[in-house]
Amino acid sequence: MKHPKLFLTAFLLFFAAHAIAQDVNLDSLLEVDTNKKIKNETHYTEATFKTTRLIDGHTVETTQAGILDFKVSHRFGNVNDGLYQMFGLDQATMRLGFDYGINNRLTVGIGRSTFEKQYDGFIKYRALWQSTGKNNVPVSVTLLSSIMIKTLHENIDTKKVTTQDKTSYAYQVMAARKFNESFSLQLMPTLIHENLVDSASMPNDLYSIGAGARVKLTKNSSINAEYYYQIPGNKLPGTYNTLSLGWEIQTAGHVFSLHLSNSIGMTERTFIAENREGRWGFGDKGSIHFGFNISRVFTIKKPKEAKR
């Protein structure tokens, strides 16, 4: 052979090119296999919101199976009252609540508020869960039904008001989408039914629609906003739409929220249908209340396997 070195070099180049081609083919096959696996699995969206409450209202999130969520909520007086009332800190109302996850989609809860001495209970079911892959669901949808009983002693025209008269109900559909890691949006069409209203001309069924959003700031904090608009013709006189803005912080085992709102009620009836505090704003005609929420979870029953 006249040019053995040239032949050997050509052979080695051919072998290297063939080996590289084989590697590329193997990588391509692996990528195709991985994509098939992803498409054949359902990937559920996690943490559309950090807790089951945005500020006042519920989110599409449900408490995980076997988890007890203990919630403490405070609402203070009007910031506009100035230094004499320590900008509202001299006055406070509180709600204590317990939410429990029957399974990952079904949550039940109870609570007691000092405002109007209310007791409340609810049941909440996640009908749709935003997901990709095998089941592509663009939004999460959660259904809520709650009952509220006011136990504050009161009489109307010397007639004793019964417990049934003081009972109200709320029905809500929450639809939310997590658009990316930093932004989530939720809509909440709501019906409040009040067994007793002040006059026959007032509606017992009050319709409203709410909107809420979460904007992530850092890994463990976000800005939250919530607004409830009462549909004209379904609004009690002297009531106002509720606007709330909050800063939410997540720590080990806790979620802590600081917020400003023009409502002090912490049940659907009081912060959606019967907010009589005033319009959002500073000054004599405005109403802004400082408040905070604390959420602490406890594992009551360890689930065998996470199921959706």
Side-chain angles (χ1 to χ4, degrees), residues 42-249:
T42 300
H43 301 271
Y44 293 95
T45 300
E46 301 291 344
T48 303
F49 299 97
K50 279 297 181 181
T51 72
T52 58
R53 297 268 182 168
L54 189 54
I55 296 177
D56 289 317
H58 287 264
T59 68
V60 291
E61 301 293 340
T62 47
T63 307
Q64 294 181 5
I67 299 297
L68 179 68
D69 188 355
F70 174 50
K71 295 182 182 295
V72 180
S73 301
H74 272 77
R75 304 291 183 269
F76 295 96
N78 198 338
V79 173
N80 302 338
D81 287 343
L83 187 60
Y84 180 73
Q85 296 288 356
M86 201 56 190
F87 302 98
L89 297 182
D90 286 353
Q91 306 156 316
T93 58
M94 180 181 67
R95 179 184 181 273
L96 298 178
F98 296 90
D99 301 358
Y100 182 73
I102 304 299
N103 55 49
N104 285 344
R105 289 181 180 264
L106 181 64
T107 299
V108 295
I110 56 172
R112 204 277 184 177
S113 303
T114 59
F115 182 65
E116 297 184 345
K117 301 186 183 297
Q118 292 178 93
Y119 292 89
D120 67 271
F122 70 86
I123 183 169
K124 185 177 181 183
Y125 179 71
R126 194 164 190 165
L128 293 177
W129 201 312
Q130 183 180 341
S131 59
T132 57
K134 184 179 180 180
N135 295 318
N136 191 6
V137 181
V139 296
S140 291
V141 175
T142 298
L143 309 177
L144 173 75
S145 177
S146 65
I147 182 172
M148 296 141 282
I149 302 173
K150 180 170 63 173
T151 63
L152 184 69
H153 293 162
E154 57 183 345
N155 294 303
I156 298 178
D157 296 330
T158 69
K159 177 183 177 182
K160 186 175 181 180
V161 181
T162 66
T163 300
Q164 183 178 357
D165 292 332
K166 297 179 182 181
T167 302
S168 303
Y169 305 90
Y171 306 97
Q172 194 170 61
V173 178
M174 292 163 280
R177 177 173 173 80
K178 185 177 183 179
F179 289 89
N180 51 50
E181 287 301 316
S182 300
F183 181 67
S184 299
L185 179 67
Q186 177 173 291
L187 296 177
M188 305 88 80
T190 306
L191 165 64
I192 306 291
H193 176 82
E194 301 212 21
N195 283 345
L196 180 66
V197 291
D198 292 341
S199 70
S201 61
M202 295 181 186
N204 294 89
D205 292 331
L206 306 166
Y207 296 92
S208 62
I209 185 164
R214 174 179 182 265
V215 179
K216 188 175 180 180
L217 297 179
T218 66
K219 182 180 178 181
N220 296 316
S221 68
S222 66
I223 294 293
N224 297 344
E226 188 178 70
Y227 179 70
Y228 284 92
Y229 174 74
Q230 300 179 73
I231 296 174
N234 294 272
K235 183 178 179 181
L236 297 177
T239 61
Y240 300 88
N241 297 331
T242 296
L243 172 64
S244 304
L245 302 174
W247 178 38
E248 188 176 75
I249 312 153

Side-chain angles (χ1 to χ4, degrees), residues 55-56 72-77 79 89 93 245-247 256-261 263-264 266 288-294:
I55 296 177
D56 289 317
V72 180
S73 301
H74 272 77
R75 304 291 183 269
F76 295 96
V79 173
L89 297 182
T93 58
L245 302 174
W247 178 38
F256 188 66
S257 172
L258 302 170
H259 49 262
L260 297 173
S261 176
S263 171
I264 60 173
M266 287 165 277
I288 294 181
H289 301 265
F290 171 69
F292 65 84
N293 298 333
I294 301 175

